[in-house]
Amino acid sequence: MGARWDGIPADVFMDILQRVPASPRRRLRVVCRHWRDVIDDRTRRRRRRHHARAKVLAFADDGLRLPRAYVLDDLTGKDAAGGKDLKLHGGVVDWDATMVGSCNGLICLHRYRGDAVVVNPSTGGKLAVPPPSKAPGETDASSYSFAYHPATALYKIVHVPCRGGAGAAFDAVSVFTLGDTSWREVPVPAGTSCHLSFGLVSVGGATYWVAADAHSLMSLDLKDERVAFVTKLPVRVGLWLDLSWHLTTDINGRVGLAVCSYEMKRTRTLKGCQTKVWMLEGGGKNKKTWALRYRIVEPGRDKPFHQIAWPHAVHGEHLLTTRNKREYELVSLHASPMSEVRAHCGVVRTDECAPPPSVGLYDNCRSVRTFAHVETREPLALYRCNDDDEDEVDDDVVEWTWKFDGEQGRWKLMLHCSLMDLTRAVRSEWW
């Protein structure tokens, strides 16, 4: 093998590999040492370029309108148009679709019926995903996460079976790998639970959540599919001074924790609101530790004026925050330059008269969630089941439902024609 392949230039070799689907491409590492070194080296370079090219995706949600997603090219505040509309139409249309995540340019949306759809906005490709076998009805979108494992090049949707806040213990989590025909139940250690108010985040080949004790960080390794305790949170959460809390991420693939709390004076009078953001650092042989990196200080306020954007809070050289104007049903997205944040030792002071630069304003909106996003031409047809061509949703189809086939033991996709197609059919039959 070495005599025939070691002499091939790395650029030529990678050009050949680019024509191979991502998942088999990673498995080619085991062929020989030369292949492994070239693939690993180019993968690291591609990951750095990926971070450099990533943009902020803002998902505007009001629970009533069609899903709206925008990609922001500029975070300096010079262009506050809100970004380019990705126009998630076709088979994605649903009145209560919620974005689960974005991985390498692919977007995962959860529908209120409990099923999901993966979309590539650049190509228009769509892939319908059935509901988990243990959650056939309506489920909370916050109990899902869309993930990618760089070593295996596999995309996975993770569902943690809990509802509301601190849920009861469960014995398995559901995992769907793009390209498979059904969900799998992954056993978890006894007593595993989830506090859903923290949300789920997926970075670095793992999905993270907080246990029902509101103090233990748990993770599902997406390669070995094993659930394990990671570490304790840096602070106790849920005390009477705490207003909100959730897990966050940054562009470098780190997990963070954002907690907004009242700040009291020594006289026990209200001093204002303060949001603190810790990032989990370290790894490998070094034990992971929490480091307090950012603070949003709001003196004299009885409720937060700005909130840390979530789940994606730190994008390159900007700290992302959102501001709600509920009386007008407006949400604005802001970006504080990290140079200013570092100059003030990680403190961002917000003032109603001089807020951080606005990079987007979204009307008829109750919340804006942020994600890191890159454009890709990756065809979703690579993950379509060969024996079930209808798993990919047609551009002209605007609705579908799932029906569980007891004999085959799996969900089957039932497509419905659009209103225009139905009108044409009625006209044809009438005349």
Side-chain angles (χ1 to χ4, degrees), residues 260-261 263 271-276 294-309 319-324 332-337 340-341 344 346-358:
C260 179
S261 307
E263 191 176 11
K271 184 178 180 180
C273 294
Q274 183 173 212
T275 300
K276 296 181 179 180
Y294 318 105
R295 286 188 298 156
I296 298 179
V297 179
E298 302 178 284
R301 295 194 59 84
D302 59 355
K303 60 181 180 179
F305 181 65
H306 277 263
Q307 302 180 26
I308 287 290
L319 179 66
L320 305 177
T321 59
T322 62
R323 177 189 175 189
N324 287 64
S332 55
L333 179 63
H334 302 259
S336 299
E340 297 182 9
V341 175
H344 295 86
V347 176
V348 178
R349 289 186 174 271
T350 64
D351 190 319
E352 195 164 355
C353 299
S358 173

Side-chain angles (χ1 to χ4, degrees), residues 173-223:
V173 296
S174 302
V175 177
F176 184 92
T177 302
L178 296 195
D180 287 352
T181 59
S182 60
W183 292 76
R184 291 173 291 101
E185 299 301 317
V186 177
V188 300
T192 299
S193 60
C194 174
H195 202 300
L196 202 53
S197 63
F198 287 86
L200 276 69
V201 297
S202 293
V203 288
T207 297
Y208 296 87
W209 68 87
V210 176
D213 64 2
H215 197 45
S216 302
L217 183 67
M218 309 295 295
S219 73
L220 168 67
D221 185 286
L222 296 172
K223 181 180 180 181

Side-chain angles (χ1 to χ4, degrees), residues 277-413:
V277 182
W278 291 265
M279 303 305 299
L280 188 61
E281 301 179 349
K285 295 182 180 179
N286 299 323
K287 184 178 179 180
K288 291 187 176 182
T289 57
W290 294 98
L292 179 59
R293 291 301 182 191
Y294 318 105
R295 286 188 298 156
I296 298 179
V297 179
E298 302 178 284
R301 295 194 59 84
D302 59 355
K303 60 181 180 179
F305 181 65
H306 277 263
Q307 302 180 26
I308 287 290
W310 66 283
H312 187 64
V314 184
H315 190 85
E317 290 300 309
H318 293 87
L319 179 66
L320 305 177
T321 59
T322 62
R323 177 189 175 189
N324 287 64
K325 299 180 180 179
R326 297 191 182 278
E327 61 273 25
Y328 303 113
E329 293 186 341
L330 291 173
V331 179
S332 55
L333 179 63
H334 302 259
S336 299
M338 293 300 293
S339 56
E340 297 182 9
V341 175
R342 295 192 184 100
H344 295 86
C345 301
V347 176
V348 178
R349 289 186 174 271
T350 64
D351 190 319
E352 195 164 355
C353 299
S358 173
V359 295
L361 183 64
Y362 308 96
D363 60 351
N364 296 315
C365 177
R366 64 184 180 187
S367 67
V368 169
R369 299 186 67 195
T370 51
F371 302 85
H373 181 75
V374 294
E375 293 187 356
T376 180
R377 305 297 298 180
E378 184 171 5
L380 281 170
L382 291 174
Y383 306 101
R384 188 176 59 188
C385 305
N386 295 328
D387 60 343
D388 197 351
D389 291 340
E390 64 182 5
D391 271 358
E392 186 172 10
V393 180
D394 253 350
D395 287 342
D396 296 331
V397 175
V398 297
E399 276 298 340
W400 71 86
T401 58
W402 290 90
K403 181 180 180 181
F404 189 77
D405 190 321
E407 294 183 359
Q408 297 185 14
R410 69 184 184 97
W411 291 91
K412 300 187 71 174
L413 187 65

Side-chain angles (χ1 to χ4, degrees), residues 34-254:
H34 175 62
W35 286 29
R36 181 197 63 197
D37 294 342
V38 172
I39 293 174
D40 287 351
D41 178 62
R42 296 306 173 95
T43 299
R44 284 191 291 269
R45 294 185 193 178
R46 192 182 307 115
R47 196 172 299 148
R48 289 195 292 268
R49 291 196 299 269
H50 172 91
H51 290 162
R53 292 187 297 112
K55 301 177 181 179
V56 172
L57 185 151
F59 183 82
D61 177 30
D62 67 357
L64 298 175
R65 295 159 60 92
L66 301 181
R68 294 178 290 161
Y70 305 89
V71 173
L72 286 75
D73 293 315
D74 178 56
L75 294 180
T76 63
K78 297 178 181 179
D79 179 14
K84 179 180 69 175
D85 189 350
L86 289 184
K87 299 187 181 301
L88 301 175
H89 297 315
V92 181
V93 174
D94 201 318
W95 297 110
D96 197 19
T98 301
M99 187 166 170
V100 173
S102 175
C103 295
N104 301 333
L106 303 184
I107 292 175
C108 180
L109 295 167
H110 173 271
R111 308 202 315 163
Y112 78 93
R113 296 177 180 87
D115 58 347
V117 59
V118 178
V119 186
N120 185 338
S122 300
T123 63
K126 305 170 187 69
L127 193 71
V129 178
S133 56
K134 286 194 174 183
E138 298 180 13
T139 53
D140 194 329
S142 61
S143 63
Y144 290 80
S145 187
F146 185 44
Y148 173 78
H149 195 283
T152 62
L154 294 176
Y155 295 92
K156 299 185 179 184
I157 304 174
V158 179
H159 170 58
V160 177
C162 58
R163 294 176 178 268
F170 47 84
D171 56 5
V173 296
S174 302
V175 177
F176 184 92
T177 302
L178 296 195
D180 287 352
T181 59
S182 60
W183 292 76
R184 291 173 291 101
E185 299 301 317
V186 177
V188 300
T192 299
S193 60
C194 174
H195 202 300
L196 202 53
S197 63
F198 287 86
L200 276 69
V201 297
S202 293
V203 288
T207 297
Y208 296 87
W209 68 87
V210 176
D213 64 2
H215 197 45
S216 302
L217 183 67
M218 309 295 295
S219 73
L220 168 67
D221 185 286
L222 296 172
K223 181 180 180 181
D224 300 330
E225 293 193 343
R226 293 180 180 178
V227 172
F229 166 79
V230 180
T231 186
K232 292 290 185 180
L233 298 185
V235 291
R236 282 285 181 181
V237 176
L239 305 179
W240 71 277
L241 289 176
D242 296 332
L243 296 172
S244 64
W245 49 84
H246 52 260
L247 296 178
T248 64
T249 64
D250 67 3
I251 194 63
N252 296 317
R254 295 182 301 177

